[in-house]
Amino acid sequence: IRDRLRSRGRGDVYKRQANGRKAETLARNLEIYRRYREGTSVDQLAEDYFLAPKSIWKIIARLRNE
């Protein structure tokens, strides 16, 4: 009989990291959308978050439709 639980594979660690990243990305996107609604330009948001303006527009469009 084994005393220890089966060791976790790398996949479990990766999944936990991915879930954390999803939460961080959602928080960032909500912040981008809030700042856009408050009047920050897309070009300024792109510069602040190191994203292309097209990516900022996609984030805005996605959140606007929710």
Side-chain angles (χ1 to χ4, degrees):
I1 299 173
R2 292 182 63 175
D3 294 339
R4 297 182 325 159
L5 292 172
R6 183 178 67 81
S7 118
R8 292 181 194 227
R10 277 182 252 157
D12 292 334
V13 173
Y14 174 77
K15 286 176 198 165
R16 283 198 305 277
Q17 290 173 345
N19 288 338
R21 269 196 301 277
K22 281 183 184 176
E24 288 171 12
T25 301
L26 178 59
R28 181 204 66 188
N29 291 353
L30 290 170
E31 184 177 315
I32 287 170
Y33 187 59
R34 177 187 58 77
R35 288 184 59 199
Y36 171 76
R37 301 263 326 242
E38 291 173 353
T40 305
S41 73
V42 169
D43 287 336
Q44 184 62 55
L45 290 167
E47 192 174 313
D48 291 351
Y49 292 94
F50 305 99
L51 295 169
K54 185 174 182 178
S55 297
I56 299 292
W57 281 117
K58 285 181 180 179
I59 291 166
I60 292 166
R62 209 172 291 133
L63 291 173
R64 188 184 280 153
N65 293 329
E66 286 185 4

